[in-house]
Amino acid sequence: MKARTRNWTAVVAIASTTTALLAGCGQTQSGNTANGSAAIAPKQNTVSTNVVAPTHLVNYSHASGSIVWAESFTTGPVAKQLVAAFEKKYPKIKVTMQVQPSSTDTNRADLTATISGGSSTPDVYMGDVIWPAQFAHAQLAAPLSDYLPKSFWNRFSNGLVQGATYNGKVYAAPLFADTAFLYYRKDLLQKYHLPVPTTWEQVKSEAATIVKKGGAKYGFVWQGADYEGLTCDFDEYLADAGGSVLTNGKASLNTPAANKALSFMRSLITSGVTPKTVDTFQEPQSENVFTQGQAVFLRNWSYAWSDSQNPASSKVVGKVGVTALPTFAGHGSSGYSTVGGWDLYLNPHTKDLAAALQFIDWMTSPQAQEILAANSEMPTIKAVANSPTLKKYSPVFALLPKVKFVSRPSQTPQYPSVSKAIYDNVNEALAGSVSVSTALKNANSQINSAQSGSGSGGL
Amino acid sequence: MAMEAASTGKKERRSGILQRTDVRAGWGLLTPAGIVILAVTIFPIIYSLFMSFNNIQLTTNGFQFTFTGLQNYKDVYSAPLFWHSVGFTIYYSVITVAVELFFGLLIALAIQNVERLKSISIIVMLIPWALITVISAQMWGYIYNGVYGVLNAILQGLHIIHTQVNWLGQPFTAVVSLMIADIWKTTPFVVIILLSGLQMIPKDYYEAALIDGANAWQSFWNVTFPQLRGSIALAGLFRILQAFGIFDLPFVLTQGGPGTTTTSLAMLGEETLFTNLHFGLGAAVAISTVILILGACLIFLSAFRGMVGEEAQ
């Protein structure tokens, strides 16, 4: 026990240094443009992934048994379809589904309590792409790269494995990816003879014009509430302005780029283009305003496409266009989109390792990834993501070559506090209760104290 | 006194055997409940206290503790966010409980005096209390929503406001909106307790007051209020205990925002524990909350006793 403690301290020490390095290099390289060949390729992560060699390679080709899979798909029958197809192919393995809370934070709390309590189920669980560092650090996830051959990781699109790596080991298998797009009312743009915007300035002026002429009640809706989603929105403007949350592992929000990003977000509200209530909007509220025909533009994830085409809930079926997010004028042809999505994690206490690995392997196989794509979830493996037939499932997939990706600074186990430092202060600035520069100054110092991972920064 | 003690002593001796089996049976009956209380209340509190003195790492073998003394408390007390949460929790609790007691008393008196509609009004009033808070909070979310909210629609229809108010997105209105939702939900609880208190006041007290020529206010102030003080203290105590633990309303309605305006102590503790996974710090927040609640209850009880005591004399 003593030896273990010492060992662990060493790991933490190494981990925190590595984290700083990783986060640093991730952010400095985010200024590059993505190449169009891979569906998801956050540029900061093109450094080839140095996955350590497996220590306990498991042969799972004849696995049998029964496992529990905690799934957090919020809608649709996709989880059931996946399990049915898996059990058909591997009749010796029985998969029981356990439906998780739809709120990501509640889901995390639930999984943390279950797994830290030593439960052997769920054997495999779905988790957010921003969890690997925290879950690895807290040993809530088993290092998959210890059990799977190095070649296993080649199947994934560039950058995704790096995002799931902590301290050289891979803790999660990317299940499906997600990113943000600009949805627009093509009927309104046509009516007022306006082009599809490619800059944020254009979004603002076109939205103002259409609102002024009575075409729609609101111009542009997005996510400004006090939660993780605001970090995503802010990171995009920040990357477009040429900034990043961290530079060489230190907070860098006291920069002109950060000021430009947040000032622009605030100006959307003060100019009346965005309703001031946006500071209470999460995805459903912003999407609702758009699908009820009240807004010209919407920033949202890929699923908003199918929602906007569903006559049961949308009044704008057939009137919606989608394009890559814009950028600031003079900053290239299109803007940055946050990388989101969900991974598969392995419970370190699983009693059926081979069956669990077989399940993870199949879920990231072309057969499963095709099922996901057919359900409008963005595939993570090259074989499916780069297939020309992909766009038949959703027009957003056709835009992927144009999209530039920005990752959140989630390579640190303290990411939740880092993100909170961002969204709390940005939200306050959006509400107008503090100035842009004060908000950024506070965010900057809170990120630095959060990153230390100890002391009052842990709150 | 002495005689009383002596007589009970004699009685005990007389029924010694019976008493002993009674005691044994009593303990037997109490044990299951005692174990449950021990397991779900006493143990977690002691465990939290223990956790709060340790630096805790999660490992595959479960928690690994390193004793760090008061370090977690030092860290928590040096965080401005903690003191902000303490401040918010205190003024939120004091204001909502005060308003709830005031309205609760008014409504209880009204219901008490309307014999015919008593049962139906109790049922109607209990609906907010019976609804699960997360669900009623969602409902308030629709009411307060700045774009398609009912409240804005009504106020605009009545020409009271001309532009939409961002109820949950501005610090002041966010706090007031939360308070209103809280008062709506928990006033019925106060009413029920006060109503039962009112029903226990003997009718002849009022008759005596009437004969003495007391008016309505005098009979309220000299009969009802002193007789009701136990019930008011009870309702206030329960409400303070709950109000200081406020979590679900801001969790659903504001997520603690705008910024950190409506971050209560319970939310801060939950976030530190289950989002940031800092178990030692989270435990220190939780224990500090418990101490604060106990302190608040003691202050309330002594203040209330003092006030009523003076009036009664």
Side-chain angles (χ1 to χ4, degrees):
Chain A
M1 204 60 171
K2 262 270 152 59
R4 194 184 289 274
T5 320
R6 259 200 304 272
N7 212 358
W8 182 235
T9 328
V11 170
V12 173
I14 296 164
S16 40
T17 350
T18 328
T19 304
L21 287 173
L22 281 174
C25 75
Q27 290 298 318
T28 41
Q29 291 179 12
S30 67
N32 304 344
T33 38
N35 69 59
S37 63
I40 301 284
K43 237 346 196 200
Q44 63 267 47
N45 295 325
T46 47
V47 197
S48 70
T49 309
N50 289 317
V51 178
V52 297
T55 53
H56 307 87
L57 197 58
V58 176
N59 179 6
Y60 49 81
S61 51
H62 302 290
S64 64
S66 123
I67 57 167
V68 175
W69 174 40
E71 62 96 357
S72 24
F73 286 101
T74 44
T75 48
V78 54
K80 268 188 199 138
Q81 282 177 27
L82 287 165
V83 169
F86 175 79
E87 286 184 334
K88 199 172 166 199
K89 186 147 186 208
Y90 298 97
K92 284 193 289 180
I93 303 175
K94 165 104 183 70
V95 179
T96 310
M97 285 197 295
Q98 175 183 318
V99 181
Q100 291 295 112
S102 63
S103 148
T104 307
D105 282 338
T106 319
N107 190 1
R108 164 167 44 200
D110 180 70
L111 289 167
T112 305
T114 311
I115 298 170
S116 67
S119 169
S120 64
T121 58
D123 300 89
V124 177
Y125 58 93
M126 270 169 73
D128 200 310
V129 291
I130 54 174
W131 292 358
Q134 188 186 31
F135 273 49
H137 183 79
Q139 302 193 11
L140 295 167
L144 287 173
S145 55
D146 277 359
Y147 312 118
L148 294 166
K150 253 182 147 175
S151 60
F152 174 82
W153 305 104
N154 296 336
R155 66 178 70 177
F156 296 102
S157 300
N158 291 339
L160 293 183
V161 174
Q162 183 66 38
T165 304
Y166 179 67
N167 205 21
K169 292 185 177 184
V170 191
Y171 285 85
L175 178 61
F176 63 88
D178 204 357
T179 197
F181 297 93
L182 183 73
Y183 296 88
Y184 58 90
R185 288 282 300 280
K186 56 183 183 192
D187 58 323
L188 291 175
L189 292 189
Q190 213 164 20
K191 186 176 169 191
Y192 297 99
H193 309 290
L194 294 166
V196 175
T198 58
T199 68
W200 287 121
E201 290 84 351
Q202 240 179 322
V203 170
K204 193 171 158 185
S205 69
E206 289 184 8
T209 309
I210 293 173
V211 169
K212 208 169 148 193
K213 292 186 175 164
K217 199 167 173 194
Y218 304 111
F220 176 32
V221 285
W222 33 281
Q223 296 80 40
D226 197 12
Y227 79 125
E228 178 66 27
L230 178 54
T231 299
C232 299
D233 283 41
F234 173 74
D235 279 1
E236 289 164 357
Y237 292 103
L238 180 64
D240 289 339
S244 57
V245 176
L246 304 173
T247 304
N248 298 326
K250 285 264 170 225
S252 55
L253 291 183
N254 46 5
T255 55
N259 198 295
K260 177 172 184 168
L262 186 51
S263 299
F264 179 77
M265 292 171 87
R266 172 78 182 140
S267 81
L268 287 170
I269 299 170
T270 50
S271 66
V273 162
T274 291
K276 56 190 176 195
T277 44
V278 82
D279 66 353
T280 61
F281 279 10
Q282 299 191 7
E283 283 86 356
Q285 289 85 5
S286 53
E287 191 187 20
N288 189 41
V289 173
F290 184 77
T291 52
Q292 292 308 301
Q294 293 194 302
V296 188
F297 298 109
L298 165 73
R299 179 259 179 225
N300 211 329
W301 305 91
S302 55
Y303 66 79
W305 172 260
S306 31
D307 287 357
S308 75
Q309 299 307 308
N310 175 6
S313 58
S314 170
K315 288 183 182 164
V316 291
V317 179
K319 295 176 180 171
V320 178
V322 56
T323 185
L325 286 179
T327 185
F328 289 112
H331 286 252
S333 57
S334 66
Y336 282 93
S337 294
T338 301
V339 180
W342 288 76
D343 294 347
L344 286 177
Y345 294 74
L346 176 68
N347 182 345
H349 310 293
T350 179
K351 291 202 175 112
D352 215 330
L353 182 60
L357 291 173
Q358 179 63 73
F359 183 67
I360 291 173
D361 185 10
W362 182 82
M363 290 289 271
T364 53
S365 72
Q367 193 193 352
Q369 294 278 308
E370 280 281 348
I371 295 176
L372 285 165
N375 283 283
S376 305
E377 304 290 9
M378 220 178 276
T380 53
I381 63 168
K382 290 180 213 157
V384 178
N386 295 353
S387 127
T389 57
L390 185 64
K391 60 189 69 161
K392 76 176 177 222
Y393 295 122
S394 167
V396 299
F397 291 161
L399 291 166
L400 287 174
K402 271 182 78 178
V403 173
K404 295 189 283 183
F405 294 100
V406 56
S407 290
R408 284 163 277 173
S410 60
Q411 297 280 352
T412 156
Q414 315 305 334
Y415 175 70
S417 319
V418 171
S419 182
K420 184 176 164 58
I422 297 171
Y423 63 69
D424 270 353
N425 289 295
V426 169
N427 178 259
E428 235 173 333
L430 295 180
S433 37
V434 297
S435 71
V436 165
S437 55
T438 310
L440 291 171
K441 202 180 79 197
N442 292 344
N444 213 61
S445 65
Q446 285 167 26
I447 290 170
N448 281 335
S449 78
Q451 270 201 304
S452 70
S454 62
S456 54
L459 282 190
Chain B
M1 261 308 234
M3 241 162 70
E4 233 175 73
S7 73
T8 45
K10 212 178 283 169
K11 211 186 255 171
E12 256 172 31
R13 228 169 296 138
R14 205 169 33 215
S15 56
I17 299 161
L18 189 70
Q19 192 84 6
R20 219 174 295 143
T21 47
D22 267 1
V23 166
R24 212 175 293 149
W27 278 110
L29 289 170
L30 273 177
T31 309
I35 289 172
V36 170
I37 290 173
L38 212 65
V40 303
T41 311
I42 313 283
F43 174 71
I45 291 175
I46 292 170
Y47 193 61
S48 296
L49 195 65
F50 169 71
M51 284 172 84
S52 72
F53 292 121
N54 282 276
N55 182 25
I56 298 161
Q57 291 286 344
L58 266 182
T59 73
T60 35
N61 298 329
F63 288 133
Q64 203 156 86
F65 300 96
T66 322
F67 183 78
T68 53
L70 290 172
Q71 190 56 45
N72 285 327
Y73 289 92
K74 281 184 196 153
D75 289 339
V76 166
Y77 297 156
S78 67
L81 182 56
F82 173 78
W83 293 109
H84 170 86
S85 300
V86 170
F88 168 72
T89 308
I90 290 178
Y91 76 71
Y92 180 88
S93 305
V94 168
I95 294 174
T96 52
V97 172
V99 175
E100 283 157 17
L101 286 178
F102 177 74
F103 280 122
L105 186 58
L106 283 188
I107 296 171
L109 287 170
I111 292 181
Q112 171 76 353
N113 290 327
V114 188
E115 269 311 320
R116 207 179 292 167
L117 294 172
K118 198 180 272 177
S119 55
I120 185 84
S121 44
I122 290 174
I123 293 167
V124 168
M125 206 189 45
L126 270 180
I127 292 172
W129 175 248
L131 276 178
I132 296 165
T133 313
V134 174
I135 292 169
S136 60
Q138 207 71 46
M139 206 179 71
W140 280 101
Y142 288 119
I143 294 175
Y144 288 136
N145 185 293
V147 171
Y148 45 84
V150 180
L151 184 59
N152 275 336
I154 292 173
L155 293 180
Q156 276 178 314
L158 296 172
H159 300 285
I160 293 169
I161 55 170
H162 299 288
T163 52
Q164 289 173 330
V165 176
N166 185 12
W167 299 107
L168 296 172
Q170 292 294 320
F172 179 72
T173 50
V175 171
V176 174
S177 302
L178 284 180
M179 285 178 171
I180 291 173
D182 195 305
I183 290 163
W184 171 82
K185 185 187 164 65
T186 44
T187 303
F189 170 79
V190 177
V191 173
I192 293 299
I193 294 200
L194 298 189
L195 208 52
S196 67
L198 281 175
Q199 276 160 356
M200 290 197 305
I201 302 174
K203 286 263 177 348
D204 26 337
Y205 284 21
Y206 292 102
E207 282 160 18
L210 205 65
I211 290 163
D212 286 348
N215 61 25
W217 171 251
Q218 283 167 329
S219 81
F220 166 77
W221 194 242
N222 295 315
V223 177
T224 312
F225 194 69
Q227 290 293 315
L228 209 53
R229 67 183 178 192
S231 306
I232 295 176
L234 186 71
L237 207 61
F238 272 118
R239 282 299 307 132
I240 284 179
L241 279 169
Q242 281 177 326
F244 270 82
I246 175 82
F247 177 82
D248 28 20
L249 270 179
F251 183 76
V252 174
L253 284 175
T254 60
Q255 299 88 46
T260 52
T261 312
T262 57
T263 303
S264 68
L265 271 174
M267 286 180 81
L268 185 69
E270 190 264 357
E271 203 163 64
T272 312
L273 280 167
F274 293 113
T275 303
N276 303 347
L277 307 185
H278 291 301
F279 295 94
L281 288 178
V285 172
I287 293 293
S288 306
T289 312
V290 170
I291 293 169
L292 188 72
I293 294 175
L294 287 179
C297 288
L298 287 177
I299 291 171
F300 173 80
L301 274 186
S302 61
F304 198 80
R305 226 176 251 147
M307 189 182 83
V308 176
E310 270 166 40
E311 286 304 325
Q313 284 161 15

